[in-house]
Amino acid sequence: MNLMAVVDASVKKEGLQDLTMQRTVSSVPFAGRYRLIDFPLSNLVNSGVNTVGVFPTYPFASLLDHIGVGKSWDLDRRKNGLFFLPVTQRDGGLSSVGAFAALEEHMQFFTKSIQPHAVVINSFIVSQLDFKDMLDQHIRSGADITEAVSGGASLKTYILSKDLLIELIRTHRDKKVVSVEDVVNLKKSPYKFNEYEYEGYFAIIDSVQSYFQASLALLDEENRKQLFLADRPIYTKVKDEPPTRYVSGCHVERALVANGSTIMGQVADSIISRAVYIKKSARVEKCIIMQKCVIEENCDLSYVIADKDVYIGEGVVLHGTPEQPIVLRKGEKVTKEDMR
């Protein structure tokens, strides 16, 4: 395909700080068994794009562990494939998609590629974008830059010629622009702009509230049907774990439960990730429980986001709200003594 990809995994979202203290936005878990970056990577592969540069900022250890050399997306190739290209800017300045100062650090990735066009995408919007269709429309329009939109909302995804992208990277200081997103928002002359209307399911994950709402929205079967398509699957890192064990006496309804968990209590309207342990008489309702969490007996949780490896001691009661879910950070331990 005549398209290379820049996956900008360096954009920071202050509203997601509780979930990104030890990871990038792109590696935030989503829908029980995925990470946010799984969606753009899968869209690219399903669209026939096989030259992909991932540009993360610190801390990126979690992201690197997840995507590795791209094997789960068939991007571990001798020619082209996935390139992991960290940027050295640790603090600030990475607030818009396609920051030229970050891309400038890896100019060789652009100059050595043979594809004539580039797509610059983010890793905090969940969708089923078809980049082949978007590229075809971009070429027909004769525009310099095409932006993906949906119902008036920007999906912060852009297609342009590789030569124009290289020119913008090299001259951005003179032109006084900071990113591809900035060029589009300013409608910077002398470029011609075009919009590609996307009509499928999408969710913008830029705050704890939007993360919580988008996650629980997937409990609706119609939303899942629009996002998880049989002919355009969402790929993720494969983990060999046993099926979830449902112990006699448990009760589970309207929930997404990943493999490897043990459910002894009550779960409703919630998303449960891999290897979670919910013990007897515990009640979990309208919660997002991430990998390897332990919820002891007689807990009562609602509107709670528990990050990876959270331990919630016996009898703990935590009730958030739809607008303000309680966030327990990665590795946090909560006991009844802490609640006094």
Side-chain angles (χ1 to χ4, degrees), residues 297-332:
E297 295 183 5
N298 301 308
C299 288
D300 187 355
L301 311 180
S302 62
Y303 299 104
V304 171
I305 301 173
D307 206 335
K308 286 181 61 177
D309 298 311
V310 163
Y311 174 84
I312 302 176
E314 183 176 355
V316 168
V317 176
L318 294 172
H319 292 165
T321 67
E323 297 75 24
Q324 293 291 330
I326 295 170
V327 180
L328 303 178
R329 293 176 175 176
K330 186 177 179 180
E332 190 171 348

Side-chain angles (χ1 to χ4, degrees), residues 253-293:
E253 60 177 317
R254 202 167 180 263
L256 295 181
V257 183
N259 52 325
S261 294
T262 299
I263 311 294
M264 303 174 70
Q266 301 178 42
V267 177
D269 299 297
S270 297
I271 294 179
I272 311 299
S273 294
R274 294 177 170 118
V276 170
Y277 208 121
I278 300 176
K279 296 191 178 179
K280 188 168 61 175
S281 300
R283 173 181 169 272
V284 176
E285 184 176 3
K286 292 182 172 63
C287 294
I288 301 169
I289 310 297
M290 298 188 195
Q291 190 174 347
K292 297 182 180 178
C293 288

Side-chain angles (χ1 to χ4, degrees), residues 201-213:
Y201 174 91
F202 76 96
I204 300 174
I205 312 297
D206 56 5
S207 67
V208 166
Q209 290 75 22
S210 62
Y211 173 78
F212 185 78
Q213 292 164 9

